Amino acid sequence: MAIGKYSRVDGRKSTNYCSTATIVVFVALCLVGVWMLMSSSVDPVQKTDLSSQDSNTDFSSQDSKADLKEKVTDKFSNQFEDSSGEQAEDATKEESKTTKSEDESNSEVNETETQETQEEKTVEESSGGNSNEEDSKKEGEGSDNEESNSGGQESNPSTETNENSQSESENEKTETESNPNEGGDKQETEEIVEEPKKKEDEKAKEEFPAGAQSEILKETTTESGSWSTQAAESESEKNSQKSKSSKDASDYKWKVCNVTAGPDYIPCLDNLQAISKLPHRDHYQHRERHCPDEAPTCLVSLPEGYRQSIKWPTSREQIWYYNVPHTKLAEVKGHQNWVKVTGDHLTFPGGGTQFIHGALHYIDFIQQALPDIAWGKRTRVILDVGCGVASLGGYLFERDVLALSFAPKDEHEAQVQFALERGIPAISAVMGTKRLPFPSKVFDIVHCARCRVPWHIEGGKLLLELNRVLRPGGYFVWSATPVYRNDTENADIWKAMSELTKSMCWDLVKISRDELNEVGAAIYRKPSSNECYEKRPQNEPPLCNKADEPDAVWNVQLQACIHKVPEKVAEHGSQWPELWPQRLEKVPSWLSGSAVGVYGKAAPEDFTTDNEHWKRVVSASYLTGLGIDWSSVRNVMDMKAVYGGFAAALKDLKVWVMNIVPITSADTLPIIYERGLFGMYHDWCESFSTYPRTYDLVHADHLFSDIKKRCKLQGIIAEVDRILRPKGTLIVRDDVETITEIEKMAKSLQWKVQLTYSKDNEGLLCVQKSLWRPTEVETISSAIA
């Protein structure tokens, strides 16, 4: 009853000779006093049952109906650490506290109105105040005597501790009385949270001694410096955090890029100004990367009529026409079943120039020609050169094979864009004058089906680049007209290729003809030892200089030489990896125990720690706690992949992950390939070689705080906006200062903030991109024809 509560608040016995008017006036004054004290004091952030579980950490536990979807247990706290055990979690938002205070004030007003309607009962029932007070004391014994000691708090408003205790007790009582059903829901929720807490208590102590139960807000609107619970920090610390992120979201100004390429703008491939100054183009220099001096900060426009991408696997067969509104390939290659225009859709029958009757038949044809290929077991990662619309890669997924496809941004309009919109891995690249952005000795197979690359010219420089990236003992599958046509031109090419491959010590294992498609394929095998190289009568092509590092690829010119096969066990490529899927979890044999890993432990232990860490993060948080619809996620990018643990943890989902190792990070990309995953090197101060709107989810673990030392963070976020699909998700793990800055940028982009979570200067941010585009336009002169 309300009178029981107020008997505890004023701490006085009512007498029968008190007038009704006196009681009403007194109670009203008390309520006003309590309300004023609560407005000026620190808002309570944790209920008594939670504070008893972790008295050292304050977390807000007020359920905001507009923002809060669900509570999480210590599993979220447990996962929020990096492999070195330094990351942690915290936090909630100032707005939640503001909402809470307003709700409590409204509850007090309602209580006052109720009290006035019951004034005649007040005198009669107040005589039972002592017994009610004693009952309240008994009920409060399990909560550190907070409620039992609240009786005389109103008589001493100057004591801050008593004020806070009184406020917390009052809030709990008021919420329960003003909404009995809500109180029942909270009690039930607390019981649900408590059960997994008990189950994982020991694990939490080991992994995160300071971890506590927390809430994930579905959407937040954090103000500057409100990253930590106010009751747990000194005023100087709060001011320090505010000074670190003084720039407000409104200070970020965005404009739409005015460029010739329009919605298909790729800054490093559409630098028309730089391309126009090239002295010659005989080696496809105009299709290579020519990045602007400074990364653009404008936003790429959306195609008119753009719609959210169709989900995989339906997307493999059809996409929305207006998302990639190009018809040239349908006109030129339609008879080869590449792509067709069907109403509002572009449809892909699964064909290609060399497999008009479908990719699946062609895949079986190769397997039958050479059973040792063993799709999805021995062969896991392949490179598809000149991929077209990447139908081969799209259907190899059914055989547990990852195909990284590439083709230039050329007159074959939007072929890589088609592939990515379908949900198939692909990048825009060309075999020109520079090495491909991949490590040496990593692809199990390199495939070329009518890829229009002149392998035999200039001493075989381009084929020698494939030799560099092909794993020793791996296969080169060449499905091209010189294999099965005998006209003069094709015969001459076949002769030149035969001489070149023999001098490279490649064995011609098989020539097979596909009667259905009326094509043929030659399958070569790279040697797994150096014996053949040493027996060659002529050193042509020459062996590469010993100082030539085969894994050095960023802006490195092609060399017409052969890199020797590694013979030491400690070198990657010296042994074939485990069969798939065992290779995913297996520590690479060449990872030496004496070497120090990225996180400071012995390399094998470092690898294992990272692997287990990401399993825990993905299962305990990413899959259930961030509000992501994983059925809509297909194309994923990890902007700083380290050992590929994040990608490995997503193995059971129907997704693929482009693992990026930044050029300033430790070179761990060969380890990623050894696991049966793929990726490439990149400098995030430059644009990535992909079309706009091609990834559903982008993940960045401690990348932005490092990269912003070299280039503007706003340019990097503009690049993320470019490659991320509307409604796509960005997950960032970084220091609090960087998280704060990125969150403000995200809000200025009208992105939806789904989660912010931080503690001990480490934070997690999850945001969803919107369809918003600004109205102002910025002309990029380097990209105007």
Side-chain angles (χ1 to χ4, degrees), residues 251-268:
D251 294 332
Y252 294 102
K253 304 298 182 184
W254 303 97
K255 297 180 181 180
V256 171
C257 301
N258 177 25
V259 292
T260 300
D264 297 338
Y265 178 46
I266 305 176
C268 288

Side-chain angles (χ1 to χ4, degrees), residues 18 22 41 44 46 51 176 201 217 236 274 287 292 324 378 385 416 442 476 504 561 587 644 691 723 739 742:
C18 288
T22 302
S41 63
Q46 194 168 9
S51 62
T176 303
D201 188 54
L217 299 182
S236 61
R287 303 298 183 194
V324 192
R378 184 182 189 271
V385 183
V416 167
V442 291
F476 173 58
M504 291 171 57
C561 63
V587 178
Y691 282 84
I723 67 179
I739 291 288
I742 294 173

Side-chain angles (χ1 to χ4, degrees), residues 238-257:
K238 289 185 290 183
N239 293 334
S240 174
Q241 290 192 5
K242 287 181 181 179
S243 65
K244 290 179 181 178
S245 55
S246 58
K247 197 167 185 178
D248 193 86
S250 61
D251 294 332
Y252 294 102
K253 304 298 182 184
W254 303 97
K255 297 180 181 180
V256 171
C257 301

Side-chain angles (χ1 to χ4, degrees), residues 5 8 34 37-38 41-52 58-59 61-62 100 104 108 143-144 146-147 150 153 160-176 231:
K5 175 180 176 181
R8 290 163 52 201
V34 170
L37 289 172
M38 290 172 60
S41 63
V42 178
D43 194 29
V45 295
Q46 194 168 9
K47 294 186 179 179
T48 54
D49 62 335
L50 298 186
S51 62
S52 63
D58 269 334
F59 292 93
S61 57
Q62 173 66 29
K100 177 177 179 179
E104 291 167 350
E108 294 290 355
S143 303
D144 297 331
E146 287 180 357
E147 292 184 3
S150 64
Q153 287 171 0
E160 184 177 350
T161 304
N162 289 343
E163 290 172 0
N164 292 338
S165 300
Q166 172 64 20
S167 298
E168 186 167 352
S169 177
E170 280 297 310
N171 292 342
E172 295 180 12
K173 187 68 177 178
T174 301
E175 290 164 5
T176 303

Side-chain angles (χ1 to χ4, degrees), residues 721-748:
D721 177 271
R722 189 185 71 85
I723 67 179
L724 193 61
R725 288 173 174 171
K727 304 297 183 181
T729 301
L730 168 65
I731 303 175
V732 183
R733 304 167 71 90
D734 220 309
D735 63 64
V736 167
E737 180 184 353
T738 303
I739 291 288
T740 304
E741 193 172 355
I742 294 173
E743 184 181 11
K744 291 181 184 300
M745 287 189 191
K747 290 176 182 175
S748 69

Side-chain angles (χ1 to χ4, degrees), residues 118-228:
Q118 296 180 345
E119 61 183 8
E120 291 186 1
K121 296 183 181 180
T122 301
V123 175
E124 179 181 351
E125 294 184 2
S126 64
S127 61
N130 270 347
S131 61
N132 287 340
E133 189 173 9
E134 290 172 0
D135 292 340
S136 299
K137 289 181 180 180
K138 292 179 181 179
E139 294 172 359
E141 285 176 357
S143 303
D144 297 331
N145 294 323
E146 287 180 357
E147 292 184 3
S148 63
N149 292 332
S150 64
Q153 287 171 0
E154 193 67 33
S155 63
N156 187 12
S158 63
T159 305
E160 184 177 350
T161 304
N162 289 343
E163 290 172 0
N164 292 338
S165 300
Q166 172 64 20
S167 298
E168 186 167 352
S169 177
E170 280 297 310
N171 292 342
E172 295 180 12
K173 187 68 177 178
T174 301
E175 290 164 5
T176 303
E177 292 181 355
S178 61
N179 193 343
N181 291 333
E182 184 177 341
D185 292 342
K186 289 182 180 179
Q187 182 179 2
E188 182 180 11
T189 303
E190 289 164 9
E191 291 173 358
I192 294 172
V193 171
E194 180 68 20
E195 184 62 26
K197 169 71 178 176
K198 293 178 181 177
K199 292 181 180 179
E200 301 189 9
D201 188 54
E202 292 303 319
K203 182 178 179 181
K205 289 179 180 178
E206 292 178 6
E207 297 175 356
F208 232 96
Q213 289 180 331
S214 60
E215 295 174 349
I216 296 181
L217 299 182
K218 186 66 176 178
E219 183 175 359
T220 61
T221 52
T222 302
E223 300 296 333
S224 297
S226 62
W227 287 93
S228 297

Side-chain angles (χ1 to χ4, degrees), residues 266 269 319 324 326 329 338 348 384-390 404-410 412-430 635 656 658 688-695 725:
I266 305 176
L269 299 183
I319 63 175
V324 192
H326 302 293
L329 273 178
W338 278 36
F348 301 86
D384 188 17
V385 183
C387 61
V389 295
L404 180 51
S405 304
F406 77 88
K409 186 178 183 180
D410 61 6
H412 274 174
E413 201 174 54
Q415 52 190 333
V416 167
Q417 191 175 19
F418 282 137
L420 288 161
E421 183 69 19
R422 296 173 70 189
I424 303 171
I427 60 169
S428 288
V430 65
N635 304 352
W656 60 269
M658 177 64 75
F688 188 71
S689 294
T690 190
Y691 282 84
R693 306 170 302 280
T694 48
Y695 283 87
R725 288 173 174 171

Side-chain angles (χ1 to χ4, degrees), residues 38-101:
M38 290 172 60
S39 299
S40 62
S41 63
V42 178
D43 194 29
V45 295
Q46 194 168 9
K47 294 186 179 179
T48 54
D49 62 335
L50 298 186
S51 62
S52 63
Q53 292 171 9
D54 187 353
S55 60
N56 295 325
T57 307
D58 269 334
F59 292 93
S60 175
S61 57
Q62 173 66 29
D63 293 338
S64 174
K65 294 180 180 179
D67 298 335
L68 187 57
K69 287 288 186 181
E70 59 181 339
K71 289 190 176 182
V72 293
T73 65
D74 274 340
K75 289 192 291 185
F76 194 80
S77 297
N78 294 341
Q79 64 84 16
F80 195 56
E81 57 168 337
D82 63 14
S83 297
S84 61
E86 293 178 356
Q87 282 183 328
E89 75 285 356
D90 184 20
T92 48
K93 299 298 172 191
E94 288 282 358
E95 186 169 330
S96 297
K97 295 181 177 182
T98 304
T99 303
K100 177 177 179 179
S101 297

